[in-house]
Structure formats: C-alpha cells, structure tokens
Amino acid sequence: MLDEVAEGMASQGGSSTDRMRTAIDNDYVLNPPLFPPLAADGQLGGYGSSRPLRGFTKDGQLWYFATRAQELAEELKLDLTAAMQGLHKAGDIIKTEGNGRLQVRTPRIGGKQIRAYVFDLAEVESSEVDSETAQDLDRLAAELLSPHKVAA
C-alpha cells in the first residue's frame, strides 16, 4: 500500500518539496484532532485520541513533529533533508534554531521536549486538500489501523 501511495503522488508530479508540503498540509487538514492546541502550561487542549499525536498548534503556528515528517518522507520515498531544506528556502518553515538546524525543540509537553518543524498555521489551513492525495492517505490510514497490524 505504501508503494501505491508513493507512486500515486509521484505520478502527480512536482518536486519533493512540493510533494512534502502537500502531504503535511493534507495530514493537518484531514486529522485536526491529532494536532491539538498547546496551552501555556504545556497541556494539550482537548486531546483524547488513542492515536499518537503528529504535532500541535500554538500562537498561530503548526508544530509538526519530526518523527511524523520522517514517516511521511519514507511513505513518499523522499529525502526528508532535501524536502525540508526546500520548504525552508520557500519560507514555509518559519522557525529554526539558528544553527542551520531546521528542527526546533518544542516547549515542554508533559515534561518532555520533542523535535519539530514549525509552519505558519494560517498558510497550512488555507491550503486546498488534494482529493487524490487525501484518498491515498485515507487508504493508508485504514491499512495502518487495521486490526491485523500489531504495534511494534
């Protein structure tokens, strides 16, 4: 199934940067409960899903976990570093650590800091969901959540 998703997105064309941006936008727009708001006290507002978080929102920004970005890159058969450097050059990644690292440490969540990429939330929310990619992601999610899959 992952190969079909990657092939489908590759056949749609576009650079690895464009494909990664579309995948991140679609992931957020189609899965808002997995990106809850982060309160000043480090609590995630309204998060009640049994599925793992993919990021959070805070102060008009989307904090997209680096582990989720890596998963997307692998699913799409993209070089994560190249795709993210392209997003940074395009001005899509809006916060860095200033030492050339595109990932930043999140504010503390339950006492932990996690690596994430930071995007302008308004830009992500205003993107149009590509219906073909959305269908591919839905099929992939259904396969991954199948009761026949055993979590590692």
Side-chain angles (χ1 to χ4, degrees):
M1 181 63 163
L2 293 178
D3 291 336
E4 291 172 25
V5 171
E7 287 173 19
M9 290 190 77
S11 70
Q12 293 173 28
S15 68
S16 63
T17 298
D18 293 340
R19 291 172 47 217
M20 188 65 167
R21 179 56 196 244
T22 298
I24 289 170
D25 291 351
N26 287 346
D27 194 25
Y28 172 76
V29 171
L30 295 170
N31 299 291
L34 302 181
F35 299 91
L38 182 68
D41 64 359
Q43 298 298 313
L44 294 166
Y47 179 67
S49 176
S50 61
R51 294 173 57 194
L53 287 177
R54 296 178 181 179
F56 61 87
T57 60
K58 181 179 190 297
D59 300 329
Q61 298 172 337
L62 170 63
W63 292 65
Y64 198 86
F65 293 155
T67 52
R68 178 61 183 154
Q70 182 64 47
E71 290 170 358
L72 275 182
E74 289 172 6
E75 290 168 10
L76 299 172
K77 298 185 180 185
L78 299 176
D79 178 321
L80 177 64
T81 302
M84 291 309 199
Q85 285 174 345
L87 288 171
H88 182 252
K89 283 182 183 178
D92 292 327
I93 294 177
I94 60 170
K95 184 181 261 187
T96 66
E97 288 194 343
N99 58 0
R101 289 195 69 139
L102 300 180
Q103 297 176 7
V104 297
R105 286 184 203 93
T106 65
R108 292 201 180 277
I109 303 171
K112 296 181 181 179
Q113 289 184 302
I114 302 165
R115 291 244 166 232
Y117 297 97
V118 183
F119 299 90
D120 182 322
L121 184 57
E123 289 292 319
V124 174
E125 289 177 333
S126 69
S127 66
E128 293 184 22
V129 175
D130 172 46
S131 61
E132 192 171 331
T133 301
Q135 290 170 357
D136 289 342
L137 289 172
D138 286 344
R139 281 194 305 272
L140 175 62
E143 182 178 302
L144 293 174
L145 296 173
S146 167
H148 302 291
K149 296 278 183 187
V150 177

